[in-house]
Amino acid sequence: MPKPRKRSPHSPIRRCAACRRTAPKSELLRFVRAPHTLQVQFDPTQKLPGRGAYLCPQAACVRMALKRNSLDRVLKTKVEERILQEALHAVHN
Ligand SMILES: [Zn+2]
């Protein structure tokens, strides 16, 4: 008896909000807008509930997102600059 196949074992593909490049979700930086408070935070664990936005793990993309408010557009809310600064520190290390 063949076992029922599970759907794609691969990580889902997501798009960088800054440069529009697509990559597996696991390779990107995730930002999440919490369902009730609508507060946005950097989500290095990729596990927080809520609407996500993604950036390449590169300072260039984080800076571009800062300059153009790319995450604000994707998440439809104001993303505080310190959230992106936090991510910038993460990619520098
Ligand atoms: Zn990018």
Side-chain angles (χ1 to χ4, degrees):
M1 286 277 283
K3 287 186 177 171
R5 284 198 175 219
K6 283 191 175 167
R7 286 194 68 194
S8 175
H10 300 291
S11 179
I13 300 295
R14 293 291 183 265
R15 189 182 296 273
C16 170
C19 73
R20 303 286 166 188
R21 189 175 74 96
T22 53
K25 179 183 166 182
S26 57
E27 291 178 12
L28 297 169
L29 300 175
R30 183 174 192 253
F31 300 84
V32 66
R33 189 190 70 195
H36 301 296
T37 63
L38 302 186
Q39 287 293 309
V40 177
Q41 56 184 305
F42 179 42
D43 176 23
T45 65
Q46 304 211 338
K47 287 191 172 111
L48 296 175
R51 183 180 170 87
Y54 300 84
L55 290 176
C56 304
Q58 293 169 4
C61 284
V62 178
R63 290 213 180 90
M64 203 192 303
L66 258 173
K67 207 159 110 184
R68 298 184 181 171
N69 298 322
S70 310
L71 295 183
D72 298 43
R73 271 203 297 278
V74 175
L75 298 174
K76 299 186 190 341
T77 188
K78 176 71 195 144
V79 179
E80 288 178 46
E81 199 175 310
R82 65 175 177 82
I83 308 297
L84 283 156
Q85 296 292 357
E86 198 183 322
L88 203 52
H89 282 295
V91 298
H92 273 171
N93 294 335

